């Protein structure tokens, strides 16, 4: 889009539609593609090519192209009897667009409705949050303050809400909204007395037997770890192929508030690249979190220096699956 420049040539939305159909045909030809053309217009310009209207409609039908108009501040009163006798330019253009959409099974969508639909499926923008802040412990007397940020994060679209059909139609967004209310009962109890949350316990299968475990037992059985990133050793970059990576990739940089730690990490990155080595480290991003084996891979560009933090598998992560030959 940045390479597209503007020109001083005059034209209307029918000319734009003809150009769009021509570009679409040059791109896909007669291949079986889902072809769509979106026209965004305020209908404020004069249209001088109504003689080509039938040819445009025939070309849209022959190529199975879906035509959609995003109307900006007009077409709201389309199909209604106007109280004024004079017909404006927007009224003429709305009539032309309605004829094209009626003959091609297209649709005209007001810009306000299009924006509301767009907002429902737009992913939210978030500020990057550090997953880890602390020292990279290379030795007892050598610690470099670093920060790690996710390189890429899967952003899920908001889920659709459930609404009851039994409620009458209303303009209120919360009207008919379905809420979930969960309760627990003993299956063999004829009275179906509700069980309080304090009276419930987690249970795990040991063979075919269920073993109840209290919250205090769970806390005692949890593996206690300290937050940290500890150096374990060096290895050749060839010994850590890409298919060993488990999970996502994090960006590891020095603490920007300290120039000494920035220089120290930069020296370490350059030394690793010159020797074609990577660092193997023990990584626990939070206290009492599962410690992982990680590879710190140096990376230098013209704009920044960093390390890629990739989690590596251990022996416990290896699964031996038997497949029939």
């Amino acid at each position: 889009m940045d390479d597209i420049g503007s020109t001083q040539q005059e034209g209307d939305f029918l000319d734009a539609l003809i150009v769009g159909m021509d570009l679409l045909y040059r791109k896909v030809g007669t291949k079986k593609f889902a072809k769509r053309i979106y026209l965004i217009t305020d209908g404020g310009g004069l249209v001088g090519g109504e003689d080509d209207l039938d040819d445009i409609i025939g070309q849209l039908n022959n190529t199975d192209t879906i035509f959609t108009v995003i109307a900006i501040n007009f077409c709201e009163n389309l199909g209604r009897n106007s109280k004024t006798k004079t017909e404006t330019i927007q009224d003429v253009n709305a009539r032309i667009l309605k004829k094209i959409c009626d003959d091609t099974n297209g649709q005209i969508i007001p810009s306000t409705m299009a924006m509301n639909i767009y907002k429902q499926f737009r992913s939210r923008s978030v500020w990057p949050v550090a997953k880890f802040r602390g020292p990279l412990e290379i030795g007892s007397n050598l610690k470099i303050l670093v920060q790690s940020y996710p390189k890429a994060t899967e952003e899920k679209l908001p889920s659709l809400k459930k609404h009851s059909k039994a409620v009458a139609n209303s303009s209120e967004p919360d009207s008919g909204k379905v809420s979930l209310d969960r309760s627990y009962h003993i299956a063999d109890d004829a009275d179906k007395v509700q069980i309080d949350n304090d009276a419930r316990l987690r249970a795990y299968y040991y063979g075919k037997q269920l073993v109840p475990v209290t919250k205090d037992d769970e806390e005692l059985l949890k593996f206690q770890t300290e937050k940290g990133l500890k150096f374990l050793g060096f290895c050749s970059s060839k010994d850590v192929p890409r298919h060993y990576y488990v999970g996502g990739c994090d960006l590891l940089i020095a603490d920007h508030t300290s120039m000494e730690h920035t220089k120290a990490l930069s020296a370490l990155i350059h030394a690793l690249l010159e020797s074609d080595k990577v660092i193997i480290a023990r990584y626990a991003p939070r206290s009492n979190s599962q410690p992982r084996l990680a590879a710190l891979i140096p990376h230098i560009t013209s704009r920044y220096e960093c390390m890629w933090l990739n989690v590596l598998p251990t022996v416990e992560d290896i699964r031996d699956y038997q497949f029939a030959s």
Side-chain angles (χ1 to χ4, degrees):
M1 295 295 291
D2 296 336
D3 298 334
I4 299 177
S6 60
T7 63
Q8 300 298 325
Q9 296 180 359
E10 296 183 356
D12 50 46
F13 63 78
L14 288 182
D15 296 329
L17 182 56
I18 293 173
V19 173
M21 289 190 299
D22 180 64
L23 292 174
L24 190 62
Y25 180 78
R26 292 183 182 182
K27 183 68 176 179
V28 301
T30 57
K31 298 178 182 178
K32 297 296 183 180
F33 280 86
K35 298 178 282 292
R36 289 177 176 270
I37 292 180
Y38 290 89
L39 175 65
I40 304 175
T41 178
D42 61 354
L46 290 172
V47 176
E50 291 190 54
D51 297 336
D52 301 329
L53 203 58
D54 294 334
D55 295 335
I56 294 174
I57 294 173
Q59 186 68 18
L60 289 173
N61 289 326
N62 293 334
T63 57
D64 293 329
T65 303
I66 301 175
F67 180 57
T68 303
V69 180
I70 308 297
I72 303 176
N73 297 330
F74 82 111
C75 287
E76 282 84 358
N77 298 324
L78 196 63
R80 300 179 184 177
N81 294 326
S82 177
K83 295 181 179 180
T84 60
K85 295 182 179 180
T86 58
E87 192 176 38
T88 63
I89 295 177
Q90 287 187 333
D91 294 335
V92 175
N93 293 335
R95 176 169 48 79
I96 295 174
L97 291 174
K98 184 177 184 301
K99 175 175 176 54
I100 297 175
C101 292
D102 290 343
D103 294 344
T104 60
N105 294 325
Q107 57 180 340
I108 301 176
I109 302 176
S111 59
T112 54
M113 183 183 298
M115 288 301 300
N116 291 332
I117 296 174
Y118 168 73
K119 290 178 181 178
Q120 291 179 4
F121 296 97
R122 185 181 61 179
S123 299
R124 62 188 180 93
S125 301
V126 295
W127 187 260
V129 179
K131 294 177 62 176
F132 172 80
R133 295 178 187 268
L136 169 59
E137 301 181 22
I138 300 177
S140 58
N141 297 324
L142 180 55
K143 298 179 180 180
I144 304 175
L145 292 179
V146 295
Q147 303 173 357
S148 71
Y149 296 87
K151 181 183 178 183
T153 305
E154 180 184 3
E155 187 64 28
K156 297 182 179 180
L157 294 172
S159 60
L160 299 177
K161 306 301 180 183
K162 293 183 178 180
H163 288 266
S164 175
K165 292 184 178 180
V167 180
N169 293 331
S170 175
S171 59
E172 297 295 329
D174 294 335
S175 177
K177 188 176 180 180
V178 177
S179 59
L180 178 63
D181 187 13
R182 182 175 295 171
S183 62
Y184 295 87
H185 307 267
I186 299 177
D188 299 336
D189 187 6
D191 297 331
K192 300 296 182 181
V193 179
Q194 184 175 346
I195 305 300
D196 296 333
N197 293 335
D198 297 336
R200 293 189 293 112
L201 293 177
R202 289 180 177 270
Y204 300 90
Y205 275 104
Y206 184 75
K208 294 184 179 180
Q209 183 180 1
L210 278 172
V211 180
V213 180
T214 63
K215 292 183 179 180
D216 295 334
D217 294 335
E218 286 186 355
E219 293 297 327
L220 292 174
L221 294 173
K222 280 185 178 180
F223 183 66
Q224 303 295 326
T225 59
E226 294 182 359
K227 169 186 173 182
L229 181 62
K230 296 183 179 181
F231 168 84
L232 298 179
F234 297 103
C235 76
S236 174
S237 60
K238 298 179 181 179
D239 295 332
V240 188
R242 294 182 63 88
H243 63 270
Y244 279 10
Y245 300 164
V246 179
C249 178
D250 292 343
L251 173 76
L252 192 72
I253 59 175
D255 188 355
H256 59 84
T257 61
S258 175
M259 184 57 65
E260 295 180 355
H261 293 281
T262 302
K263 291 181 178 180
L265 185 64
S266 177
L268 180 60
I269 292 173
H270 281 267
L272 290 172
L273 282 174
E274 292 176 2
S275 59
D276 196 20
K277 301 287 185 181
V278 299
I279 292 177
I280 304 300
R282 181 182 184 272
Y283 178 51
R286 296 177 303 277
S287 297
N288 297 329
S289 63
Q290 181 182 3
R292 306 301 299 269
L293 191 66
L296 305 183
I297 303 169
H299 181 72
I300 296 178
T301 67
S302 59
R303 295 183 291 112
Y304 62 91
E305 298 177 355
C306 71
M307 286 186 176
W308 300 127
L309 191 154
N310 290 283
V311 177
L312 299 177
T314 59
V315 177
E316 289 80 4
D317 296 320
I318 298 177
R319 298 290 183 268
D320 185 17
Y321 294 102
Q322 299 294 331
F323 297 97
S325 59

